[in-house]
């Protein structure tokens, strides 16, 4: 039956729709008009601005071309250069082109007059003035040329230049006026925006007022009437019924509903009483059904535990809870025989432990025979407690037996004043039989689990990685060693691992993925029944080499899987590689000098030759013999160090002295600029001096050897915590980044063409690492190919606790350790001054090379330069002084002369030398002077 929809004369929805449509129409109308006005105004201003800019740009181009015409003409007049003449014609063409564009624009009367004058001028200039001027130039008649120039042409030029300046100024005024008008337009638009916003707010306020008056207020009145009716109070809603909209219809319906409810209230009350009675009856039935369902659910949960649990403790708890719930024990105890596991209720801990320990053997024997029995005992009056009369307690004894009829668990339970029925006996025995099966299953599982863990422990103790794979490719067994070998992150997994998962890991980790996956798949298939072996490598931080062999596993005649055994053979592989490298290196490094020795010896024995040539051959033989001796010594030193038979004599060693001693052993050619920077306040280290010399010779020798094109070699020493950190930097061929981690291996040589030409045994860095390690230091390398290499190592400082603080010695300390350069060819004197200045808080930059000192003086911030004047037989120091005083970067650095020459022999006054010290002199005078200079600055 269709619903009857009453009609209203004044619909609320229609009222608000009309109001919103009217407001939307006004809003769109205003916004549209505003948008059109704004667009037209902007277009007009933009068009006006573009016209002004275009005209100004053309005037500038005309001015540039006009100036260019006269500049090029004067150049031609002065030099008769054809290129100037060609440029002149180009400029005239440009001028005519710009003038034509200018004439097409809307022009004022003044601009039109200028356009006509310029048009006439360029025609006259091109056809009359320029040909005449060219003729005068060819005749060298410059007097006529000057008369032609003063005939009025210059006036037009000056007028045009004056016009361009005036026009530029007027254009700026017009643009500024245009900007002001634009600004006023923006301000006007802003005011209009504000007014529009205020109008919108007023209209929204009117709409809200209408909504509150016509909709919300009547609804509030209806709500009040509803609440009053529910409380039994009558509220008059006649004014609302008179409304001709939906709210009036709603008020009428509400009024009719209240009348209908009042008429039917008595009938509803009678029916409600009948329903309440029926509800009480249903509630009683529901309680009984709920109790039955609860017991059924408990039994279902118990069955689930009995069937699936493998935890004895949980089985005891759930079985005990179920029995207590069903049979309502007052107190009870269920415990495993021969175990500490039990669960009790209503008993103190001491009572529970006493019952477990003191159950007599007669009751145990009866349990084995009867399985369940009850003992009735009378409760004496002295034990009646709250009870006012004698009553009986019934103690239940029941047990769980295994398949061998041995007692596994015992149940002790008491009910006071309530007997156990024959049904209770039967049900309890049934539950105990079910529990017996569950305990049998748990004991079997524990036995199997113990055996499995024992087998896993045995497998895990092996060093080889063991992996058992089914014929379907699933991993069924694997040990801890395998996880370490193949870098697998999930050790301890219990489930089967699918073939695609573990093979994907192998494929990602190994360097030969295709060969290994093919080997593994072929070994898994059912047709594979023998044994095979393969080697593969894993490229992690360090490459590892693994050997895997596969063998089939059978149950009877049926193949059930494949056993893979992975063995880490990295050490064996490295030994083989080392042997190969040793043979290759020794054969090359021994044969080369031996060939020279044998060849030159044969020449000396078989041929007569000049004494000079004989000497040269003997020197070559001596050099190659020394090379052989050094090679053999390197082998022996490394062998002694690795075997622990190398003796180190640790003593206090001045590192800066050792560096200079080693540098003096080298004969550097002019390609190399060697620099030693001593930045540490104390250079004393705890070291074996002989081994320290060997270390520096190796590392400095490498810097020279692997810098075939020369360059800077910088040795820097500085304090780092309790160590002396040393770096040796070169500008050589560098080292590939991937080769750096393996550089300290024995016989390691990088395989590239530039290094093959240089050669070497590959023992130098291995020896260096052994020496540094035995000094409790560290050594590492930073390098960039084709840029250079820096080798770092640390040595422990000698008696750190006893080193005197520089601040205590000098009374001054700079947070940045001010640097002083010492330029001196006498190492002993340089070392004396260096130690004195370092003790007062200075860092030292030492040079014995004048040119290198000149370079560093321009780059390193210095507080002073201490220098000798005489180097060898020459006064090269004066060249350095003159350079420092004439160079912009170094002219203000204080210069202190330290020389054996008398001051009167050298004219140093003109170079503004701070102090001239004549050797010998007390070094503390030098440090005092430098500290004073710093204070004055």
């Amino acid at each position: 039956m269709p619903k009857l929809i009453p009609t209203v004369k004044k619909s609320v929805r229609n009222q608000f729709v009309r109001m919103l449509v009217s407001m939307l129409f006004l809003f769109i109308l205003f916004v549209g008009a505003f948008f059109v006005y704004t667009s037209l105004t902007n277009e007009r201003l933009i068009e006006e601005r573009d016209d002004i800019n275009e005209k100004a740009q053309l005037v500038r181009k005309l001015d540039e071309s006009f100036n260019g015409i006269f500049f090029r003409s004067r150049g031609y007049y002065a030099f008769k250069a054809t290129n100037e003449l060609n440029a002149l014609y180009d400029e005239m063409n440009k001028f005519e082109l710009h003038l034509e564009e200018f004439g097409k624009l809307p022009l004022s009367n003044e601009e039109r007059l200028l356009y006509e004058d310029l048009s006439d001028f360029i025609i006259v200039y091109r056809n009359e003035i320029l040909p005449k001027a060219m003729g005068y130039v060819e005749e060298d008649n410059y007097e006529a040329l000057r008369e032609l120039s003063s005939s009025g042409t210059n006036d037009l030029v000056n007028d045009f230049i004056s016009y361009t300046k005036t026009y530029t100024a007027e254009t700026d005024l017009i643009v500024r006026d245009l900007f002001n008008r634009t600004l006023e337009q923006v301000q006007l638009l802003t005011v209009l925006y504000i007014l529009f916003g205020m109008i919108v707010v007023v209209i929204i306020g009117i709409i809200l007022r209408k909504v509150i008056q016509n909709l919300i207020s009547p609804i509030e009145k209806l709500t009040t009437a509803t609440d009053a009716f529910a409380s039994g109070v009558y509220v008059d809603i006649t004014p609302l019924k008179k409304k001709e909209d939906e709210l009036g219809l709603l008020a009428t319906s509400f009024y009719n509903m209240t009348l209908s409810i009042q008429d039917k209230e008595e009938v509803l009350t009678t029916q409600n009483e009948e329903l309440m009675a029926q509800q009480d009856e249903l509630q009683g039935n529901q309680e009984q059904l709920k109790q039955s369902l609860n017991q059924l659910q408990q039994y279902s949960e118990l069955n689930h535990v009995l069937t699936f649990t493998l935890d004895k403790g949980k089985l005891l708890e759930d079985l005990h809870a179920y029995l207590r719930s069903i049979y309502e024990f007052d107190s009870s105890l269920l415990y495993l025989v021969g175990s500490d596991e039990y669960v009790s209720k209503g008993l103190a801990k001491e009572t529970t432990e006493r019952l477990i320990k003191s159950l007599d053997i007669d009751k145990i024997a009866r349990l084995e025979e009867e399985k369940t029995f009850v003992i009735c005992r009378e409760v004496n009056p002295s034990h009646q407690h709250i009870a006012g009369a004698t009553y009986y307690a019934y103690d239940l004894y029941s047990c769980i037996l295994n398949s061998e009829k041995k007692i596994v668990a015992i149940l002790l339970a008491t009910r006071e004043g309530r007997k156990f029925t024959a049904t209770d006996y039967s049900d309890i025995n049934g539950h105990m039989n079910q529990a017996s099966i569950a305990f049998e299953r748990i004991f079997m599982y524990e036995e199997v689990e113990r055996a499995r863990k024992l087998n896993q422990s045995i497998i895990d103790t092996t060093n080889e990685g063991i992996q058992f794979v089914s014929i379907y490719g699933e991993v069924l067994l694997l040990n801890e060693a395998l996880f370490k070998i193949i870098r697998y992150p999930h050790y301890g997994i219990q489930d089967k691992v699918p073939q695609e998962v573990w093979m994907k890991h192998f494929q990602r980790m190994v360097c030969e993925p295709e060969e290994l996956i093919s080997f593994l798949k072929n070994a898994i298939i059912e047709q594979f029944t023998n044994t095979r072996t393969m080697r593969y490598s894993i490229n992690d931080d360090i490459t590892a080499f693994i050997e895997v062999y596969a063998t089939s596993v059978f149950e009877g005649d049926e193949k059930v899987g494949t056993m893979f055994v992975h063995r880490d053979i990295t050490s064996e592989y490295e030994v083989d590689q080392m042997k190969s490298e040793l043979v290759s290196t020794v054969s090359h490094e021994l044969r080369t000098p031996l060939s020279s020795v044998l060849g030159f010896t044969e020449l000396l024995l078989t041929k007569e030759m000049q004494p000079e040539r004989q000497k040269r051959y003997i020197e070559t033989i001596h050099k190659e013999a020394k090379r052989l001796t050094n090679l053999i010594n390197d082998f022996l030193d490394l062998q002694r160090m690795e075997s622990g038979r190398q003796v180190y004599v640790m003593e206090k060693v001045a590192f800066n002295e050792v560096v200079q001693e080693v540098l003096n052993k080298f004969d550097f050619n002019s390609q190399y600029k060697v620099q030693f920077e001593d930045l540490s306040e104390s250079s004393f280290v705890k070291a074996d001096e002989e081994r320290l010399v060997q270390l520096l010779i190796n590392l400095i020798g490498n810097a020279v050897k692997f810098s075939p094109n020369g360059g800077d070699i910088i040795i820097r020493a500085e304090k780092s915590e309790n160590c002396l950190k040393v770096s040796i930097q070169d500008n050589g061929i560098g080292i590939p980044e991937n080769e750096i981690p393996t550089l300290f291996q024995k016989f390691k040589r990088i395989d590239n063409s530039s290094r093959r030409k240089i050669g070497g045994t590959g023992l130098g860095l291995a020896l260096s690492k052994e020496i540094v390690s035995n000094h409790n230091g560290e050594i590492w390398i930073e390098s960039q190919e084709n840029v250079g290499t820096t080798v770092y190592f640390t040595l422990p400082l000698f008696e750190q606790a006893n080193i005197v603080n520089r601040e205590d010695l000098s009374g001054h300390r700079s947070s940045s350790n001010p640097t002083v350069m010492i330029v001196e060819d006498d190492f002993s004197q340089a070392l004396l001054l260096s130690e004195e200045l370092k003790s007062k808080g200075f860092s030292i930059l030492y040079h014995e090379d004048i040119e290198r000192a000149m370079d560093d003086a321009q780059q390193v911030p210095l507080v002073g330069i201490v220098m000798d004047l005489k180097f060898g037989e020459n006064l090269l120091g004066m060249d350095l002084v003159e350079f420092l005083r004439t160079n912009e970067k170094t002219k203000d650095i204080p210069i202190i002369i330290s020389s054996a020459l008398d001051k009167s022999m050298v004219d140093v006054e003109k170079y503004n030398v701070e102090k001239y010290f004549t050797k010998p002199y007390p070094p503390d005078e030098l440090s005092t002077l430098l500290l004073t200079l710093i204070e004055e600055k």
Side-chain angles (χ1 to χ4, degrees), residues 598-613:
L598 291 174
F600 285 115
T601 304
E602 186 177 349
L603 287 174
L604 290 171
L605 291 174
T606 58
K607 292 185 178 181
E608 294 290 335
M609 54 189 66
Q610 296 295 326
E612 293 81 6
R613 180 172 291 185

Side-chain angles (χ1 to χ4, degrees), residues 436-612:
S436 174
I437 296 171
F439 275 110
E440 282 288 316
R441 180 169 47 79
I442 290 174
F443 292 146
M444 289 175 61
Y445 168 76
E446 289 179 344
E447 186 65 28
V448 171
E449 187 65 15
R450 278 195 295 271
R452 188 192 67 79
K453 289 182 178 179
L454 177 61
N455 291 335
Q456 186 69 46
S457 299
I458 293 171
I459 293 173
D460 285 341
T461 55
T462 62
N463 294 325
E464 288 79 13
I466 296 175
Q467 177 187 18
F468 179 64
V469 182
S470 71
I471 58 175
Y472 305 108
E474 298 172 331
V475 175
L476 303 180
L477 176 69
L478 64 171
N479 67 342
E480 185 176 1
L482 180 66
F483 285 94
K484 295 179 180 177
I485 290 173
I486 66 173
R487 280 68 166 170
Y488 199 74
H490 306 299
Y491 181 72
I493 59 174
Q494 301 296 330
D495 298 330
K496 299 176 182 178
V497 183
Q499 177 176 325
E500 57 271 15
V501 174
W502 64 269
M503 279 197 177
K504 186 176 181 181
H505 177 75
F506 272 104
Q507 201 167 12
R508 186 173 63 253
M509 292 298 297
V510 303
C511 301
E512 308 84 3
E514 295 181 0
E515 295 87 340
L516 179 60
I517 297 302
S518 176
F519 170 83
L520 295 173
K521 287 183 176 179
N522 291 334
I524 292 171
I525 61 176
E526 193 170 357
Q527 290 77 11
F528 172 77
T529 57
N530 55 0
T531 302
R532 63 173 58 180
T533 305
M534 178 191 170
R535 287 187 176 185
Y536 64 91
S537 59
I538 295 177
N539 192 7
D540 204 0
D541 294 335
I542 299 176
T543 302
F545 296 90
I546 314 297
E547 182 179 69
V548 55
Y549 71 86
T551 183
S552 300
V553 179
F554 295 87
E555 282 186 357
D557 295 332
E558 182 182 0
K559 179 177 176 179
V560 294
T562 306
M563 181 70 75
F564 295 99
V565 179
H566 304 255
R567 189 167 66 89
D568 191 338
I569 59 168
T570 304
S571 300
E572 301 169 18
Y573 181 86
E574 289 178 349
V575 169
D576 291 341
Q577 288 292 105
M578 198 176 297
K579 288 178 182 177
S580 300
E581 291 175 357
L582 174 62
V583 172
S584 173
T585 301
V586 171
S587 62
H588 177 270
E589 295 297 327
L590 288 179
R591 282 178 179 176
T592 303
L594 279 175
S595 297
S596 299
V597 171
L598 291 174
F600 285 115
T601 304
E602 186 177 349
L603 287 174
L604 290 171
L605 291 174
T606 58
K607 292 185 178 181
E608 294 290 335
M609 54 189 66
Q610 296 295 326
E612 293 81 6

